[in-house]
Amino acid sequence: MNGCEERTLSAEGLLPAAQTAQGDGHRFEMAYARPTPHGPEVLYLINRGRGRPFLLLRIPGARTVPSLAPMVPLLGWYEREMRELSGIEVTGHPEPYPLLIHEGRHLSIPPLGADAGEPTWSGETATPTMPEIEADQVQDLVWGPVRGDVVETGEFHFSYIGEAIIHYHARLGYKHRGVERRFQGLPAAAGVYLAERVSGVGSVCHALAYCQAVEAALGIDVPPRAQLLRTLLAEIERLYNHFHYFALLAKTTTLKVASAEGELLEERIKQIAGRLTGSRFLRHLLCVGGVRHDIDTQGLDSLLTELGHEARAYLDRLNRTASYLDRLIGTGVLGSAAAFDQGATGPVARASGLDRDMRRDHPYAAYELLRFLVPVRETGDAKARADVRGEALREALALAAQASARLAPGAIRAQIPPQASGEGLGWCETPRGSLFYAVHIEEGRLARVKIKSPSFSNWRVFPFTVHGSNMMDYAINEASFGLTIAGADR
């Protein structure tokens, strides 16, 4: 696969290879399966650290693989996903219960397996598998899947005594859309329309990672002006996500004025995006090979400078508000070991001491030309996550200004070779963390697309900060993670 190094193994060789990777301090990013004429193939992607190529472990003809989750817990959800959607048997899994296809529900065939035809549903959704809690006065609360306010669909189970949460289970998958299957058969150039709709608040990042994967597969060199425009758009998207984050965090700490101020700043950057590109959500701008049309950035610098002054004043006011700080400090602590083992990414990981950022560690687009800092904290609580987001917001303003200032006249799009085949890996550091696309193209059409989204990773991590916490802090803790369900329910 272009974009990474490879090793081909047997299923028996998987465990020793994983032990070696763990011993070297490398980290698995994702696992997935795909059908081939010679049987299913299982693939594992490993991050070997800053500046080093990713490593892909390829297991051909693997209908059964041993679970790596006891050693690499973050792979637990990927292995369960492979079992349910691709029909791969995973032996020795420590969490052998449903993930996406809920208890009581059945699919006629694995939708990402080799079987032809449309899968059909049967059965009725039943109670999720939960641990038996032996204690007096334990109460159970089920919240969702339909909830008040403008929120995504999810079902959350709390077992609690008084205000203390004993156990928490997040059941996602109600809005799983089968996006990866929908990619299959599309022309490679058309897949970008689907990619930018995987998560509505991450259209640029999803389109960018997808385009980069196809360009790696087909050997396309993107012109420098297009790379800078892509970087500029990605940072504008990061800005409105961060403003939205602070508006929601202020809302959960009952600061209604601060919440409204955050929403106003979010609206301001969306209006700038609309005037700049014609799309407030920055859609229909990227294409395989570059960008769809040129962008005139005249006057953008002064708009970003003015917005930057308002953003700094807003964040300073938040950080001088005692009631806001009191609710964040010590809430939802995630230790660095749990963050690493369970797969935390983005601001959540950096707030727990993991100094990782794809823009710096594995530069893409035009990030190698730009200067920026990666904020890191050690305490792992909601305050640390907010601090990392606040500094990242300031860096995004600076990055957008740098990218705009470096723009020079030139081509904005490269040609796509017709009917070409190949495999490629693309990645992006979204406002929520690392995003990967792995694409397999046969004669110009997509045979398999795998998405590793940051929210899929961070939703797995989140319950570890809820167990043992207080019911009153739950909403603040969840807001401090900045999760999206759409990102997980692909």
Side-chain angles (χ1 to χ4, degrees), residues 141-420:
L141 171 66
V142 181
W143 185 35
V146 178
R147 299 179 289 160
D149 208 338
V150 184
V151 293
E152 296 174 287
T153 303
E155 185 179 308
F156 308 102
H157 293 248
F158 298 83
S159 297
Y160 63 102
I161 300 176
E163 289 292 332
I165 301 173
I166 307 301
H167 184 80
Y168 166 80
H169 176 75
R171 184 190 238 185
L172 309 180
Y174 280 99
K175 288 294 179 69
H176 189 83
R177 293 156 288 161
V179 173
E180 292 180 7
R181 180 181 165 96
R182 183 67 186 86
F183 274 108
Q184 295 176 7
L186 288 178
V192 65
Y193 291 106
L194 190 55
E196 62 186 11
R197 283 162 177 77
V198 171
S199 178
V201 294
S203 292
V204 173
C205 286
H206 275 270
L208 180 53
Y210 171 80
C211 288
Q212 290 176 158
V214 175
E215 289 152 6
L218 304 183
I220 300 171
D221 290 326
V222 178
R225 182 175 176 85
Q227 296 283 30
L228 281 163
L229 288 173
R230 286 175 166 189
T231 304
L232 171 62
L233 297 172
E235 293 307 313
I236 291 176
E237 181 175 82
R238 194 179 315 279
L239 282 170
Y240 87 66
N241 272 274
H242 286 338
F243 283 130
H244 181 85
Y245 172 89
F246 282 105
L248 181 59
L249 196 58
K251 180 181 179 181
T252 60
T253 55
T254 67
L255 299 176
K256 293 185 177 179
V257 173
S259 177
E261 286 181 309
E263 290 175 346
L264 178 60
L265 291 168
E266 178 188 355
E267 174 62 20
R268 292 274 307 281
I269 190 65
K270 284 180 177 173
Q271 289 182 359
I272 291 173
R275 285 199 295 272
L276 193 69
T277 67
S279 171
R280 288 161 50 85
F281 288 94
L282 303 167
R283 292 175 188 152
H284 309 297
L285 300 171
L286 273 63
C287 63
V288 175
V291 293
R292 294 185 188 281
H293 61 80
D294 213 340
I295 297 172
D296 180 3
T297 60
Q298 188 174 10
L300 176 62
D301 188 53
S302 62
L303 291 172
L304 291 176
T305 300
E306 182 182 347
L307 185 67
H309 291 318
E310 294 183 42
R312 290 181 186 89
Y314 171 65
L315 293 175
D316 287 346
R317 284 196 296 277
L318 276 179
N319 284 321
R320 291 198 303 270
T321 303
S323 61
Y324 171 79
L325 299 176
D326 285 347
R327 301 301 303 275
L328 300 188
I329 295 172
T331 296
V333 174
L334 178 66
S336 60
F340 184 89
D341 291 343
Q342 301 296 336
T345 183
V348 173
R350 292 193 284 276
S352 296
L354 302 186
D355 186 6
R356 292 165 173 264
D357 190 308
M358 303 285 283
R359 296 171 297 175
R360 178 200 62 195
D361 300 342
H362 303 278
Y364 56 91
Y367 285 105
E368 204 164 25
L369 304 174
L370 310 179
R371 291 178 290 109
F372 61 99
L373 299 175
V374 177
V376 178
R377 294 291 187 275
E378 300 291 337
T379 53
D381 59 0
K383 176 63 165 54
R385 292 189 280 275
D387 284 347
V388 167
R389 286 269 191 163
E391 289 191 28
L393 190 156
R394 298 182 184 95
E395 292 297 321
L397 282 161
L399 279 167
Q402 288 182 60
S404 175
R406 280 180 168 270
L407 284 169
I412 59 166
R413 190 165 52 249
Q415 293 297 314
I416 307 174
Q419 303 299 312

